mmCIF file of all heavy atoms in Angstrom:
data_model
loop_
_atom_site.group_PDB
_atom_site.id
_atom_site.type_symbol
_atom_site.label_atom_id
_atom_site.label_comp_id
_atom_site.label_asym_id
_atom_site.label_seq_id
_atom_site.Cartn_x
_atom_site.Cartn_y
_atom_site.Cartn_z
ATOM 1 N N PHE A 1 0.823 -1.195 0.000
ATOM 2 C CA PHE A 1 0.000 0.000 0.000
ATOM 3 C C PHE A 1 0.862 1.252 0.000
ATOM 4 O O PHE A 1 1.874 1.323 0.703
ATOM 5 C CB PHE A 1 -0.910 0.009 1.228
ATOM 6 C CG PHE A 1 -1.618 1.308 1.451
ATOM 7 C CD1 PHE A 1 -2.673 1.689 0.639
ATOM 8 C CD2 PHE A 1 -1.231 2.152 2.471
ATOM 9 C CE1 PHE A 1 -3.328 2.889 0.836
ATOM 10 C CE2 PHE A 1 -1.876 3.351 2.686
ATOM 11 C CZ PHE A 1 -2.926 3.719 1.862
ATOM 12 N N VAL A 2 0.451 2.245 -0.772
ATOM 13 C CA VAL A 2 1.155 3.519 -0.837
ATOM 14 C C VAL A 2 0.279 4.657 -0.330
ATOM 15 O O VAL A 2 0.645 5.374 0.604
ATOM 16 C CB VAL A 2 1.634 3.827 -2.268
ATOM 17 C CG1 VAL A 2 2.298 5.204 -2.322
ATOM 18 C CG2 VAL A 2 2.596 2.748 -2.751
ATOM 19 N N ALA A 3 -0.889 4.830 -0.937
ATOM 20 C CA ALA A 3 -1.763 5.943 -0.586
ATOM 21 C C ALA A 3 -3.162 5.657 -1.098
ATOM 22 O O ALA A 3 -3.352 4.877 -2.032
ATOM 23 C CB ALA A 3 -1.247 7.263 -1.172
ATOM 24 N N ALA A 4 -4.159 6.295 -0.492
ATOM 25 C CA ALA A 4 -5.536 6.140 -0.928
ATOM 26 C C ALA A 4 -6.304 7.419 -0.671
ATOM 27 O O ALA A 4 -5.980 8.187 0.247
ATOM 28 C CB ALA A 4 -6.217 4.964 -0.226
ATOM 29 N N SER A 5 -7.328 7.623 -1.479
ATOM 30 C CA SER A 5 -8.203 8.776 -1.369
ATOM 31 C C SER A 5 -9.641 8.302 -1.379
ATOM 32 O O SER A 5 -10.062 7.607 -2.304
ATOM 33 C CB SER A 5 -7.953 9.753 -2.516
ATOM 34 O OG SER A 5 -8.897 10.817 -2.504
ATOM 35 N N SER A 6 -10.405 8.672 -0.367
ATOM 36 C CA SER A 6 -11.808 8.306 -0.306
ATOM 37 C C SER A 6 -12.629 9.195 -1.230
ATOM 38 O O SER A 6 -12.137 10.196 -1.761
ATOM 39 C CB SER A 6 -12.327 8.401 1.123
ATOM 40 O OG SER A 6 -12.277 9.736 1.590
ATOM 41 N N ARG A 7 -13.880 8.836 -1.396
ATOM 42 C CA ARG A 7 -14.727 9.553 -2.340
ATOM 43 C C ARG A 7 -14.990 10.988 -1.905
ATOM 44 O O ARG A 7 -15.014 11.897 -2.738
ATOM 45 C CB ARG A 7 -16.051 8.799 -2.494
ATOM 46 C CG ARG A 7 -17.082 9.508 -3.335
ATOM 47 C CD ARG A 7 -18.344 8.685 -3.464
ATOM 48 N NE ARG A 7 -18.997 8.458 -2.183
ATOM 49 C CZ ARG A 7 -19.903 9.273 -1.644
ATOM 50 N NH1 ARG A 7 -20.266 10.391 -2.276
ATOM 51 N NH2 ARG A 7 -20.455 8.976 -0.476
ATOM 52 N N SER A 8 -15.203 11.186 -0.612
ATOM 53 C CA SER A 8 -15.689 12.461 -0.104
ATOM 54 C C SER A 8 -14.665 13.159 0.769
ATOM 55 O O SER A 8 -13.820 12.522 1.403
ATOM 56 C CB SER A 8 -16.969 12.246 0.712
ATOM 57 O OG SER A 8 -17.973 11.619 -0.072
ATOM 58 N N TRP A 9 -14.740 14.449 0.776
ATOM 59 C CA TRP A 9 -14.018 15.323 1.703
ATOM 60 C C TRP A 9 -12.515 15.313 1.532
ATOM 61 O O TRP A 9 -11.796 15.847 2.394
ATOM 62 C CB TRP A 9 -14.392 15.008 3.154
ATOM 63 C CG TRP A 9 -15.863 14.975 3.391
ATOM 64 C CD1 TRP A 9 -16.624 13.893 3.686
ATOM 65 C CD2 TRP A 9 -16.756 16.092 3.331
ATOM 66 N NE1 TRP A 9 -17.933 14.259 3.819
ATOM 67 C CE2 TRP A 9 -18.045 15.605 3.606
ATOM 68 C CE3 TRP A 9 -16.598 17.456 3.074
ATOM 69 C CZ2 TRP A 9 -19.160 16.427 3.630
ATOM 70 C CZ3 TRP A 9 -17.709 18.276 3.082
ATOM 71 C CH2 TRP A 9 -18.974 17.753 3.366
ATOM 72 N N GLY A 10 -12.027 14.716 0.470
ATOM 73 C CA GLY A 10 -10.602 14.679 0.252
ATOM 74 C C GLY A 10 -9.816 13.898 1.283
ATOM 75 O O GLY A 10 -8.618 14.149 1.461
ATOM 76 N N SER A 11 -10.447 12.956 1.952
ATOM 77 C CA SER A 11 -9.765 12.156 2.965
ATOM 78 C C SER A 11 -8.699 11.293 2.315
ATOM 79 O O SER A 11 -8.948 10.638 1.301
ATOM 80 C CB SER A 11 -10.768 11.285 3.713
ATOM 81 O OG SER A 11 -11.723 12.084 4.397
ATOM 82 N N THR A 12 -7.524 11.287 2.918
ATOM 83 C CA THR A 12 -6.404 10.532 2.383
ATOM 84 C C THR A 12 -5.694 9.769 3.483
ATOM 85 O O THR A 12 -5.710 10.175 4.653
ATOM 86 C CB THR A 12 -5.392 11.451 1.685
ATOM 87 O OG1 THR A 12 -4.932 12.442 2.610
ATOM 88 C CG2 THR A 12 -6.033 12.151 0.488
ATOM 89 N N ILE A 13 -5.065 8.662 3.109
ATOM 90 C CA ILE A 13 -4.218 7.900 4.005
ATOM 91 C C ILE A 13 -2.937 7.545 3.259
ATOM 92 O O ILE A 13 -2.932 7.427 2.029
ATOM 93 C CB ILE A 13 -4.905 6.630 4.545
ATOM 94 C CG1 ILE A 13 -5.384 5.727 3.397
ATOM 95 C CG2 ILE A 13 -6.065 6.995 5.460
ATOM 96 C CD1 ILE A 13 -5.921 4.392 3.862
ATOM 97 N N TYR A 14 -1.856 7.351 4.025
ATOM 98 C CA TYR A 14 -0.557 7.080 3.448
ATOM 99 C C TYR A 14 0.168 6.003 4.225
ATOM 100 O O TYR A 14 0.005 5.874 5.444
ATOM 101 C CB TYR A 14 0.317 8.333 3.452
ATOM 102 C CG TYR A 14 -0.213 9.461 2.612
ATOM 103 C CD1 TYR A 14 -1.038 10.431 3.158
ATOM 104 C CD2 TYR A 14 0.117 9.559 1.265
ATOM 105 C CE1 TYR A 14 -1.530 11.469 2.387
ATOM 106 C CE2 TYR A 14 -0.367 10.588 0.491
ATOM 107 C CZ TYR A 14 -1.191 11.542 1.051
ATOM 108 O OH TYR A 14 -1.676 12.572 0.279
ATOM 109 N N ALA A 15 0.986 5.252 3.515
ATOM 110 C CA ALA A 15 1.921 4.370 4.181
ATOM 111 C C ALA A 15 2.976 5.195 4.899
ATOM 112 O O ALA A 15 3.365 6.271 4.438
ATOM 113 C CB ALA A 15 2.580 3.435 3.166
ATOM 114 N N ASP A 16 3.448 4.675 6.023
ATOM 115 C CA ASP A 16 4.463 5.401 6.780
ATOM 116 C C ASP A 16 5.714 5.661 5.948
ATOM 117 O O ASP A 16 6.384 6.688 6.121
ATOM 118 C CB ASP A 16 4.833 4.628 8.044
ATOM 119 C CG ASP A 16 3.736 4.651 9.086
ATOM 120 O OD1 ASP A 16 2.851 5.523 9.011
ATOM 121 O OD2 ASP A 16 3.771 3.794 9.990
ATOM 122 N N SER A 17 6.028 4.755 5.044
ATOM 123 C CA SER A 17 7.245 4.864 4.265
ATOM 124 C C SER A 17 7.233 6.032 3.284
ATOM 125 O O SER A 17 8.296 6.454 2.818
ATOM 126 C CB SER A 17 7.511 3.558 3.505
ATOM 127 O OG SER A 17 6.438 3.259 2.631
ATOM 128 N N VAL A 18 6.049 6.552 2.964
ATOM 129 C CA VAL A 18 5.953 7.638 1.993
ATOM 130 C C VAL A 18 5.349 8.901 2.575
ATOM 131 O O VAL A 18 5.334 9.944 1.904
ATOM 132 C CB VAL A 18 5.150 7.212 0.748
ATOM 133 C CG1 VAL A 18 5.716 5.929 0.157
ATOM 134 C CG2 VAL A 18 3.664 7.048 1.077
ATOM 135 N N LYS A 19 4.865 8.843 3.788
ATOM 136 C CA LYS A 19 4.219 9.997 4.404
ATOM 137 C C LYS A 19 5.192 11.172 4.464
ATOM 138 O O LYS A 19 6.336 11.035 4.889
ATOM 139 C CB LYS A 19 3.716 9.630 5.795
ATOM 140 C CG LYS A 19 2.774 10.646 6.411
ATOM 141 C CD LYS A 19 2.197 10.113 7.725
ATOM 142 C CE LYS A 19 1.405 8.834 7.505
ATOM 143 N NZ LYS A 19 0.802 8.328 8.772
ATOM 144 N N GLY A 20 4.709 12.322 4.035
ATOM 145 C CA GLY A 20 5.542 13.508 3.988
ATOM 146 C C GLY A 20 6.275 13.696 2.683
ATOM 147 O O GLY A 20 6.801 14.792 2.430
ATOM 148 N N ARG A 21 6.336 12.664 1.859
ATOM 149 C CA ARG A 21 7.002 12.747 0.562
ATOM 150 C C ARG A 21 6.023 12.622 -0.604
ATOM 151 O O ARG A 21 6.208 13.268 -1.641
ATOM 152 C CB ARG A 21 8.066 11.662 0.426
ATOM 153 C CG ARG A 21 9.188 11.763 1.445
ATOM 154 C CD ARG A 21 10.305 10.779 1.129
ATOM 155 N NE ARG A 21 9.850 9.393 1.178
ATOM 156 C CZ ARG A 21 9.933 8.537 0.160
ATOM 157 N NH1 ARG A 21 10.458 8.922 -0.997
ATOM 158 N NH2 ARG A 21 9.504 7.284 0.305
ATOM 159 N N PHE A 22 5.012 11.784 -0.441
ATOM 160 C CA PHE A 22 4.044 11.530 -1.504
ATOM 161 C C PHE A 22 2.718 12.198 -1.166
ATOM 162 O O PHE A 22 2.343 12.306 0.010
ATOM 163 C CB PHE A 22 3.796 10.031 -1.681
ATOM 164 C CG PHE A 22 4.947 9.252 -2.244
ATOM 165 C CD1 PHE A 22 6.211 9.805 -2.387
ATOM 166 C CD2 PHE A 22 4.763 7.936 -2.643
ATOM 167 C CE1 PHE A 22 7.265 9.079 -2.903
ATOM 168 C CE2 PHE A 22 5.805 7.198 -3.166
ATOM 169 C CZ PHE A 22 7.053 7.765 -3.292
ATOM 170 N N THR A 23 1.994 12.611 -2.196
ATOM 171 C CA THR A 23 0.681 13.204 -2.030
ATOM 172 C C THR A 23 -0.270 12.629 -3.061
ATOM 173 O O THR A 23 0.011 12.670 -4.258
ATOM 174 C CB THR A 23 0.724 14.733 -2.176
ATOM 175 O OG1 THR A 23 1.646 15.282 -1.234
ATOM 176 C CG2 THR A 23 -0.658 15.329 -1.927
ATOM 177 N N ILE A 24 -1.394 12.102 -2.592
ATOM 178 C CA ILE A 24 -2.433 11.640 -3.495
ATOM 179 C C ILE A 24 -3.484 12.733 -3.629
ATOM 180 O O ILE A 24 -3.826 13.406 -2.653
ATOM 181 C CB ILE A 24 -3.065 10.319 -3.007
ATOM 182 C CG1 ILE A 24 -4.032 9.760 -4.059
ATOM 183 C CG2 ILE A 24 -3.752 10.491 -1.662
ATOM 184 C CD1 ILE A 24 -4.539 8.362 -3.734
ATOM 185 N N SER A 25 -3.968 12.919 -4.837
ATOM 186 C CA SER A 25 -5.021 13.884 -5.084
ATOM 187 C C SER A 25 -5.910 13.361 -6.196
ATOM 188 O O SER A 25 -5.541 12.428 -6.912
ATOM 189 C CB SER A 25 -4.449 15.261 -5.437
ATOM 190 O OG SER A 25 -3.672 15.198 -6.625
ATOM 191 N N ARG A 26 -7.073 13.944 -6.316
ATOM 192 C CA ARG A 26 -7.991 13.505 -7.357
ATOM 193 C C ARG A 26 -8.722 14.686 -7.949
ATOM 194 O O ARG A 26 -9.003 15.680 -7.272
ATOM 195 C CB ARG A 26 -8.978 12.464 -6.821
ATOM 196 C CG ARG A 26 -9.888 12.968 -5.707
ATOM 197 C CD ARG A 26 -10.624 11.802 -5.051
ATOM 198 N NE ARG A 26 -11.536 11.141 -5.965
ATOM 199 C CZ ARG A 26 -11.997 9.906 -5.816
ATOM 200 N NH1 ARG A 26 -11.610 9.180 -4.768
ATOM 201 N NH2 ARG A 26 -12.844 9.395 -6.698
ATOM 202 N N ASP A 27 -9.040 14.557 -9.216
ATOM 203 C CA ASP A 27 -9.822 15.532 -9.941
ATOM 204 C C ASP A 27 -11.047 14.801 -10.456
ATOM 205 O O ASP A 27 -10.989 14.113 -11.475
ATOM 206 C CB ASP A 27 -9.013 16.134 -11.083
ATOM 207 C CG ASP A 27 -9.735 17.265 -11.788
ATOM 208 O OD1 ASP A 27 -10.972 17.344 -11.704
ATOM 209 O OD2 ASP A 27 -9.054 18.076 -12.436
ATOM 210 N N ASN A 28 -12.147 14.927 -9.743
ATOM 211 C CA ASN A 28 -13.344 14.177 -10.104
ATOM 212 C C ASN A 28 -13.897 14.599 -11.460
ATOM 213 O O ASN A 28 -14.461 13.777 -12.187
ATOM 214 C CB ASN A 28 -14.415 14.337 -9.028
ATOM 215 C CG ASN A 28 -14.088 13.566 -7.766
ATOM 216 O OD1 ASN A 28 -13.254 12.665 -7.769
ATOM 217 N ND2 ASN A 28 -14.744 13.922 -6.670
ATOM 218 N N ALA A 29 -13.757 15.876 -11.798
ATOM 219 C CA ALA A 29 -14.230 16.346 -13.095
ATOM 220 C C ALA A 29 -13.439 15.726 -14.240
ATOM 221 O O ALA A 29 -13.971 15.525 -15.331
ATOM 222 C CB ALA A 29 -14.170 17.864 -13.166
ATOM 223 N N GLU A 30 -12.165 15.427 -13.989
ATOM 224 C CA GLU A 30 -11.297 14.836 -14.996
ATOM 225 C C GLU A 30 -11.230 13.322 -14.881
ATOM 226 O O GLU A 30 -10.576 12.669 -15.700
ATOM 227 C CB GLU A 30 -9.902 15.440 -14.878
ATOM 228 C CG GLU A 30 -9.023 15.241 -16.099
ATOM 229 C CD GLU A 30 -9.472 16.067 -17.274
ATOM 230 O OE1 GLU A 30 -10.166 17.084 -17.063
ATOM 231 O OE2 GLU A 30 -9.132 15.700 -18.417
ATOM 232 N N ASN A 31 -11.867 12.749 -13.876
ATOM 233 C CA ASN A 31 -11.830 11.303 -13.631
ATOM 234 C C ASN A 31 -10.397 10.798 -13.508
ATOM 235 O O ASN A 31 -10.038 9.744 -14.040
ATOM 236 C CB ASN A 31 -12.553 10.538 -14.741
ATOM 237 C CG ASN A 31 -14.055 10.677 -14.672
ATOM 238 O OD1 ASN A 31 -14.593 11.439 -13.874
ATOM 239 N ND2 ASN A 31 -14.752 9.938 -15.519
ATOM 240 N N THR A 32 -9.590 11.543 -12.790
ATOM 241 C CA THR A 32 -8.170 11.236 -12.685
ATOM 242 C C THR A 32 -7.706 11.337 -11.237
ATOM 243 O O THR A 32 -8.106 12.254 -10.512
ATOM 244 C CB THR A 32 -7.341 12.184 -13.561
ATOM 245 O OG1 THR A 32 -7.772 12.075 -14.923
ATOM 246 C CG2 THR A 32 -5.863 11.841 -13.481
ATOM 247 N N VAL A 33 -6.863 10.390 -10.850
ATOM 248 C CA VAL A 33 -6.205 10.438 -9.560
ATOM 249 C C VAL A 33 -4.705 10.555 -9.805
ATOM 250 O O VAL A 33 -4.178 9.987 -10.771
ATOM 251 C CB VAL A 33 -6.543 9.204 -8.697
ATOM 252 C CG1 VAL A 33 -6.044 7.917 -9.342
ATOM 253 C CG2 VAL A 33 -5.985 9.362 -7.292
ATOM 254 N N TYR A 34 -4.028 11.300 -8.949
ATOM 255 C CA TYR A 34 -2.608 11.567 -9.099
ATOM 256 C C TYR A 34 -1.840 11.088 -7.877
ATOM 257 O O TYR A 34 -2.376 11.013 -6.770
ATOM 258 C CB TYR A 34 -2.349 13.065 -9.272
ATOM 259 C CG TYR A 34 -3.084 13.691 -10.428
ATOM 260 C CD1 TYR A 34 -4.311 14.314 -10.238
ATOM 261 C CD2 TYR A 34 -2.548 13.665 -11.708
ATOM 262 C CE1 TYR A 34 -4.985 14.893 -11.297
ATOM 263 C CE2 TYR A 34 -3.222 14.241 -12.769
ATOM 264 C CZ TYR A 34 -4.439 14.853 -12.563
ATOM 265 O OH TYR A 34 -5.107 15.431 -13.623
ATOM 266 N N LEU A 35 -0.590 10.793 -8.097
ATOM 267 C CA LEU A 35 0.338 10.535 -7.006
ATOM 268 C C LEU A 35 1.581 11.375 -7.251
ATOM 269 O O LEU A 35 2.372 11.069 -8.143
ATOM 270 C CB LEU A 35 0.701 9.054 -6.906
ATOM 271 C CG LEU A 35 1.588 8.691 -5.720
ATOM 272 C CD1 LEU A 35 0.817 8.848 -4.411
ATOM 273 C CD2 LEU A 35 2.123 7.271 -5.856
ATOM 274 N N GLN A 36 1.718 12.433 -6.474
ATOM 275 C CA GLN A 36 2.902 13.275 -6.538
ATOM 276 C C GLN A 36 3.961 12.674 -5.634
ATOM 277 O O GLN A 36 3.736 12.513 -4.429
ATOM 278 C CB GLN A 36 2.578 14.700 -6.104
ATOM 279 C CG GLN A 36 3.774 15.640 -6.089
ATOM 280 C CD GLN A 36 4.323 15.909 -7.472
ATOM 281 O OE1 GLN A 36 3.567 16.161 -8.400
ATOM 282 N NE2 GLN A 36 5.640 15.848 -7.614
ATOM 283 N N MET A 37 5.110 12.351 -6.194
ATOM 284 C CA MET A 37 6.179 11.698 -5.462
ATOM 285 C C MET A 37 7.390 12.616 -5.442
ATOM 286 O O MET A 37 7.973 12.907 -6.486
ATOM 287 C CB MET A 37 6.537 10.353 -6.103
ATOM 288 C CG MET A 37 5.352 9.404 -6.229
ATOM 289 S SD MET A 37 5.826 7.780 -6.861
ATOM 290 C CE MET A 37 6.347 8.227 -8.519
ATOM 291 N N ASN A 38 7.755 13.071 -4.266
ATOM 292 C CA ASN A 38 8.906 13.937 -4.079
ATOM 293 C C ASN A 38 9.984 13.218 -3.282
ATOM 294 O O ASN A 38 9.722 12.234 -2.599
ATOM 295 C CB ASN A 38 8.501 15.220 -3.357
ATOM 296 C CG ASN A 38 7.506 16.049 -4.133
ATOM 297 O OD1 ASN A 38 7.514 16.067 -5.363
ATOM 298 N ND2 ASN A 38 6.644 16.768 -3.413
ATOM 299 N N SER A 39 11.187 13.743 -3.361
ATOM 300 C CA SER A 39 12.319 13.188 -2.609
ATOM 301 C C SER A 39 12.428 11.688 -2.788
ATOM 302 O O SER A 39 12.568 10.926 -1.826
ATOM 303 C CB SER A 39 12.188 13.552 -1.123
ATOM 304 O OG SER A 39 12.154 14.951 -0.936
ATOM 305 N N LEU A 40 12.378 11.259 -4.015
ATOM 306 C CA LEU A 40 12.373 9.830 -4.305
ATOM 307 C C LEU A 40 13.666 9.163 -3.866
ATOM 308 O O LEU A 40 14.752 9.751 -3.945
ATOM 309 C CB LEU A 40 12.143 9.604 -5.793
ATOM 310 C CG LEU A 40 10.685 9.770 -6.230
ATOM 311 C CD1 LEU A 40 10.590 9.965 -7.730
ATOM 312 C CD2 LEU A 40 9.862 8.557 -5.797
ATOM 313 N N LYS A 41 13.514 7.936 -3.404
ATOM 314 C CA LYS A 41 14.622 7.130 -2.925
ATOM 315 C C LYS A 41 14.719 5.855 -3.754
ATOM 316 O O LYS A 41 13.724 5.411 -4.325
ATOM 317 C CB LYS A 41 14.412 6.753 -1.454
ATOM 318 C CG LYS A 41 14.180 7.930 -0.528
ATOM 319 C CD LYS A 41 13.832 7.444 0.868
ATOM 320 C CE LYS A 41 13.581 8.600 1.812
ATOM 321 N NZ LYS A 41 13.210 8.130 3.171
ATOM 322 N N PRO A 42 15.894 5.244 -3.802
ATOM 323 C CA PRO A 42 16.001 3.969 -4.522
ATOM 324 C C PRO A 42 15.005 2.920 -4.037
ATOM 325 O O PRO A 42 14.534 2.108 -4.839
ATOM 326 C CB PRO A 42 17.448 3.539 -4.253
ATOM 327 C CG PRO A 42 18.175 4.830 -4.081
ATOM 328 C CD PRO A 42 17.209 5.740 -3.357
ATOM 329 N N GLU A 43 14.664 2.928 -2.765
ATOM 330 C CA GLU A 43 13.707 1.974 -2.227
ATOM 331 C C GLU A 43 12.292 2.194 -2.734
ATOM 332 O O GLU A 43 11.425 1.349 -2.523
ATOM 333 C CB GLU A 43 13.711 2.022 -0.691
ATOM 334 C CG GLU A 43 13.249 3.355 -0.117
ATOM 335 C CD GLU A 43 13.629 3.531 1.337
ATOM 336 O OE1 GLU A 43 14.835 3.442 1.640
ATOM 337 O OE2 GLU A 43 12.730 3.743 2.167
ATOM 338 N N ASP A 44 12.044 3.317 -3.393
ATOM 339 C CA ASP A 44 10.749 3.557 -4.020
ATOM 340 C C ASP A 44 10.617 2.861 -5.372
ATOM 341 O O ASP A 44 9.535 2.877 -5.961
ATOM 342 C CB ASP A 44 10.514 5.054 -4.220
ATOM 343 C CG ASP A 44 10.428 5.816 -2.910
ATOM 344 O OD1 ASP A 44 9.780 5.317 -1.971
ATOM 345 O OD2 ASP A 44 11.003 6.924 -2.834
ATOM 346 N N THR A 45 11.691 2.283 -5.861
ATOM 347 C CA THR A 45 11.661 1.598 -7.141
ATOM 348 C C THR A 45 10.675 0.445 -7.098
ATOM 349 O O THR A 45 10.769 -0.441 -6.249
ATOM 350 C CB THR A 45 13.059 1.095 -7.508
ATOM 351 O OG1 THR A 45 13.939 2.210 -7.697
ATOM 352 C CG2 THR A 45 13.018 0.272 -8.782
#
């Protein structure tokens, strides 16, 4: 598990290993979910 976004209120959860580095977001109008990954590490491969 990396991250998840619920349907309502923008609720999100993250794995401890990525918290603070990754951000999940969604654009319901575009039917798209994103995962912004910053400060990537080799272990993220």
Side-chain angles (χ1 to χ4, degrees):
F1 170 73
V2 177
S5 174
S6 64
R7 174 179 63 89
S8 302
W9 309 111
S11 298
T12 58
I13 56 173
Y14 297 92
D16 288 341
S17 60
V18 307
K19 192 173 299 182
R21 298 188 298 122
F22 291 10
T23 303
I24 187 172
S25 62
R26 62 192 295 159
D27 186 338
N28 287 342
E30 198 71 22
N31 287 7
T32 302
V33 63
Y34 303 95
L35 184 69
Q36 178 67 45
M37 304 185 294
N38 298 328
S39 301
L40 282 162
K41 305 174 181 179
E43 64 197 57
D44 296 318
T45 296

